[in-house]
Amino acid sequence: MIYFEQAGRLGNQMFRYASARAMQVARGGKESIVAGMTNYEAHQYKDGFVDELVNFNIADFKRVNQPIVSFYPLRNKIIYRLLIQIPKLRQQPWRSFEANWAKTFNKVGIQFTHDGYYDFSIPKTKNVFMDGNFQDIKYFNGIKDILFKEFTPKRPEKEENEELYKAIRSTNSVCISIRRGDFLSSEFKGDFFVCGKDYFLKSMDEIKKHVENPTFIFFSDDIDWVRQNIKVDVPCCYESGSDPVWEKLRLMYSCKHFIISNSSFSWWAQYLGRYPDKVVISPDHWYNNKDINATCKMIQPEFIKIPCPYHE
């Protein structure tokens, strides 16, 4: 079996599922996938911390209300306790710990990676246990065609968005994803608030150099702020801000080009974009924390990168 620990909102859920699905395919495609879902109880199923994959055409997998570590064989549990639970090692920065021990865990069928990429071999163990964000295209890009089909919403396009879909499909549409919300909170701003107003203004000027007669399609968790603060001189449309997340993602990936924020959700929108000659603009770093940023693999070489200040 392939076990993976599910966590986060839709963008992070997609990274974790995609990597587990790719592992399943790499091991022959016949094993069952099992997801540990306890993360959502901890968040009380609020603020988007719910199982959003139920709304997509993904392969069937079993959901269990217990952490995947509870399924480890005895040998793995002993190794896990020795390496994870010794207080001296727990005081070590997680990324250093991960770099030192990730491949050792891989030999016994455990893969974890919270940032960056490890060139794991395919475990020959009976089961594989995957825990981490797996935020690198290398983990799953080999099954891109499968993911394009599976990350399509089960439900049809909402009728109230008919005109917006028409604008997206009939123009050189540019999806502009403006993440605000919790990125502005005291808890997360220090690490995550990278894309300020100036970034989007510069990105819109830049994309005009690459896309003829663009139409800007704005998406945001604070669409009123966008209407009031982002002024443009080209045709534009605004997603309502009230669509369910599965519909919002489809609207976004239906666009031809992308200006993304440093969020996993907007990353997936550009990845799932069907237009073969898409232009993607991103910030030049993903986190304000330079140590985390050093191992981050979210910004692809082909992206056009706009310099952003490191905010405190």
Side-chain angles (χ1 to χ4, degrees):
M1 290 190 180
I2 310 296
Y3 293 85
F4 76 100
E5 200 73 64
Q6 187 57 291
R9 298 183 177 94
L10 178 58
N12 286 329
Q13 292 174 31
M14 294 171 79
F15 275 110
R16 290 168 179 256
Y17 168 80
S19 299
R21 184 76 167 93
M23 177 63 69
Q24 181 195 42
V25 171
R27 282 169 56 102
K30 296 181 180 180
E31 292 175 278
S32 298
I33 297 177
V34 179
M37 306 296 290
T38 56
N39 177 269
Y40 300 107
E41 278 191 354
H43 287 278
Q44 299 180 326
Y45 305 96
K46 296 178 179 179
D47 301 323
F49 289 96
V50 296
D51 181 8
E52 291 287 0
L53 292 185
V54 297
N55 297 307
F56 293 84
N57 288 296
I58 59 171
D60 185 40
F61 67 87
K62 182 178 180 181
R63 295 161 169 86
V64 295
N65 201 30
Q66 57 194 109
I68 64 169
V69 68
S70 64
F71 295 97
Y72 284 9
L74 179 59
R75 179 184 67 166
N76 291 20
K77 286 181 180 178
I78 292 172
I79 293 173
Y80 179 86
R81 287 172 180 167
L82 285 174
L83 295 182
I84 294 286
Q85 296 183 3
I86 295 175
K88 183 178 180 180
L89 286 179
R90 293 198 68 181
Q91 293 172 9
Q92 183 181 12
W94 177 258
R95 285 162 190 84
S96 298
F97 176 86
E98 188 173 271
N100 290 336
W101 294 102
K103 291 189 177 182
T104 298
F105 274 92
N106 183 68
K107 292 177 181 179
V108 294
I110 301 173
Q111 293 188 350
F112 59 82
T113 174
H114 288 75
D115 297 291
Y117 175 77
Y118 296 97
D119 190 14
F120 293 125
S121 59
I122 304 302
K124 297 180 180 179
T125 51
K126 180 180 179 181
N127 300 308
V128 179
F129 303 89
M130 305 177 70
D131 186 5
N133 291 324
F134 293 92
Q135 290 182 339
D136 192 309
I137 195 172
K138 293 178 183 178
Y139 287 118
F140 50 79
N141 203 41
I143 62 163
K144 186 172 184 177
D145 290 344
I146 292 174
L147 296 177
F148 267 44
K149 294 176 182 177
E150 294 193 358
F151 287 154
T152 300
K154 292 178 179 178
R155 304 177 193 178
E157 297 171 2
K158 294 176 73 68
E159 291 183 5
E160 53 265 44
N161 288 325
E162 181 179 356
E163 291 302 314
L164 185 54
Y165 276 114
K166 187 180 297 183
I168 288 171
R169 290 166 176 156
S170 64
T171 69
N172 284 331
S173 52
V174 180
C175 167
I176 303 179
S177 174
I178 300 180
R179 174 74 176 269
R180 288 175 58 78
D182 57 350
F183 275 21
L184 298 177
S185 70
S186 57
E187 181 180 1
F188 296 114
K189 186 174 183 178
D191 281 341
F192 295 104
F193 185 60
V194 172
C195 301
K197 179 179 176 179
D198 285 349
Y199 162 72
F200 293 105
L201 296 177
K202 292 177 182 177
S203 296
M204 289 187 290
D205 286 340
E206 180 65 27
I207 208 158
K208 292 174 189 176
K209 301 174 185 177
H210 305 273
V211 177
E212 186 177 0
N213 299 320
T215 294
F216 293 156
I217 315 293
F218 288 100
F219 299 84
S220 179
D221 53 1
D222 190 353
I223 200 68
D224 290 337
W225 182 91
V226 175
R227 288 178 177 273
Q228 294 169 15
N229 290 275
I230 304 295
K231 307 302 181 183
V232 299
D233 57 0
V234 302
C236 64
C237 301
Y238 301 85
E239 188 266 337
S240 68
S242 60
D243 285 307
V245 67
W246 51 266
E247 172 75 347
K248 182 175 291 190
L249 180 64
R250 179 167 49 203
L251 283 161
M252 292 170 72
Y253 74 58
S254 296
C255 294
K256 294 183 175 69
H257 309 283
F258 301 86
I259 294 173
I260 67 171
S261 298
N262 58 318
S263 81
S264 58
F265 185 65
S266 61
W267 189 96
W268 275 105
Q270 65 78 29
Y271 181 80
L272 296 171
R274 274 59 169 172
Y275 188 62
D277 298 319
K278 66 184 176 184
V279 176
V280 181
I281 292 182
S282 79
D284 65 343
H285 60 275
W286 206 256
Y287 300 98
N288 283 317
N289 185 314
K290 293 184 179 181
D291 291 335
I292 304 175
N293 212 54
T295 58
C296 176
K297 303 295 184 181
M298 296 289 278
I299 299 174
Q300 302 302 301
E302 66 271 19
F303 290 0
I304 298 172
K305 302 160 191 70
I306 301 298
C308 294
Y310 280 85
H311 300 280
E312 296 183 358

